[in-house]
Structure formats: C-alpha cells, structure tokens
Amino acid sequence: MLKKMTTLGMTFCALVGMSLISTSAHAADDHKHGDHDHAHAHMPTEGVVILRSTKGNKVRGRLVLKQVKSGVRVTGRVNNLTPGEHGFHIHEFGDLRATDGKSAGGHFNPDGHDHGSPDAEHRHAGDLGNITADSEGVAKVDILQKGLKLHFVIGRSIVVHAGKDDLKSQPSGDAGPRVAVGVIGIAQMKKPAKK
Ligand code: CU
Ligand code: ZN
C-alpha cells in the first residue's frame, strides 16, 4: 500500500514538473515574440492637466504633456496671472486636498539633486523654470523638459507660483505661494472620427 502511494506520488510530481516546464517554456516564447511591443502599447504618451486656482485667486489653465524622443513637451496656456514670470514645476504628489496647494509636496526630485534651472545638468526632474504672463495675465507655455519620461510623472502635479523662480535658491527657487495646481492625468487619445 505504502509502495503504491509513493509510486503515485512520484507520478504526480513528474506530471506537475512537466506541466511547469511546459508553462515556463510557453511564457518564454511569448516574451520572445511580443513582449516588447506589448509593454510599449501600455505606456501613456500624452498627459493632460487642468490647473485650478488655490484659495484666494483666480488662476486657471490647461496643459498637455507629450512624450517625445528627447523628453516631455509641455504646451498650453495659463490665465489670470499677474504679468511677469511665475515659477512652474512638477511637484511630487497629485494631492490637491490642501486649499493652498501645499499637499502637492515639494518638487519632483527622484535623483536627490538640488533645485536648479531647467538647463542645469543637475536639478530636480520637475524644475520646469518659469512661465511668463503678458499684460493680460496670459502665459503661453511651450517647454521641452529634456530627459523626462511621462510615465514617471502621471499622477503627480504641476504647480504655478505667485512669484518668479530665481533658479538657484534652495529648495524651490523662492517662487512664493502656489496660485494654481493640477494633476497630471492620462489623456484620452483622439481617435479618427467614424464614417
Ligand atoms: Cu513649484
Ligand atoms: Zn526644484
């Protein structure tokens, strides 16, 4: 009886072993043939931000973030600003619960660098520099942030400040209070119209 059970057990193990081998061989085969393109098909290539004002001001705006070869291109416009330069950054969190925008945290800085100019070799990844509002309070935005990958910033936020980022003060360029914040969401890609 004991001998028979052992034999059955061994047979069972051998069968399981075989099926494991064939499963992993199948997985490896899938990987070889399609995994690369499959992974890329699920990476977001366009993000969108609706900027809303923090408490006590009326700044609003709309931005699009596009993944390009060299980085992320940020375009759009921001309204109701005071004329002049305004600090403009990607902050760590997409958390807009605080009415003053502070729950967005500090500048997105995965590499542990100091704050700096967008052109600097070492800076926060989220240091987009400044946007400039005209006499009507409108800033047209077109910034190429080199080296940035869009998928690392989806779910984080963009913050516009009341003052100018001096591009050197630590930890955030002395740009003053936050006047608008918005979460970086995955954009719905426009499909060609049917018919
Ligand atoms: Cu900021
Ligand atoms: Zn910074």
Side-chain angles (χ1 to χ4, degrees):
M1 182 59 184
L2 186 67
K3 195 175 178 188
K4 198 174 178 187
M5 275 180 72
T6 309
T7 310
L8 269 170
M10 280 178 69
T11 309
F12 183 68
C13 284
L15 280 168
V16 169
M18 275 179 68
S19 84
L20 276 176
I21 288 163
S22 92
T23 302
S24 57
H26 183 68
D29 198 49
D30 277 352
H31 182 84
K32 198 167 86 187
H33 287 286
D35 200 52
H36 187 75
D37 287 341
H38 185 75
H40 281 256
H42 287 80
M43 288 287 193
T45 56
E46 194 169 314
V48 64
V49 179
I50 302 300
L51 290 167
R52 66 178 203 197
S53 62
T54 54
K55 201 175 182 182
N57 69 82
K58 291 183 171 160
V59 178
R60 355 174 85 242
R62 183 176 288 207
L63 305 163
V64 168
L65 285 76
K66 278 197 176 118
Q67 182 72 61
V68 295
K69 246 184 191 168
S70 56
V72 172
R73 189 175 176 200
V74 185
T75 56
R77 85 193 245 145
V78 185
N79 299 316
N80 301 342
L81 289 160
T82 55
E85 289 180 279
H86 295 268
F88 187 69
H89 317 117
I90 298 169
H91 283 238
E92 187 175 4
F93 307 115
D95 185 335
L96 310 189
R97 283 178 285 190
T99 54
D100 61 1
K102 293 259 176 76
S103 47
H107 296 180
F108 176 52
N109 181 25
D111 305 312
H113 290 315
D114 281 347
H115 176 70
S117 151
D119 309 325
E121 194 188 342
H122 296 296
R123 54 157 167 79
H124 300 150
D127 288 345
L128 300 174
N130 287 289
I131 56 174
T132 306
D134 63 18
S135 57
E136 308 287 303
V138 177
K140 288 183 180 134
V141 180
D142 191 350
I143 294 169
L144 174 62
Q145 189 71 342
K146 286 187 182 153
L148 188 66
K149 294 274 187 247
L150 181 65
H151 61 269
F152 288 141
V153 299
I154 294 286
R156 304 186 187 281
S157 61
I158 287 195
V159 175
V160 183
H161 291 265
K164 178 184 175 180
D165 180 341
D166 66 15
L167 311 178
K168 54 179 190 280
S169 294
Q170 300 304 321
S172 53
D174 196 25
R178 303 167 184 202
V179 292
V181 285
V183 175
I184 303 169
I186 297 173
Q188 181 183 66
M189 304 297 279
K190 283 174 193 123
K191 289 168 189 146
K194 284 180 182 170
K195 274 193 207 176

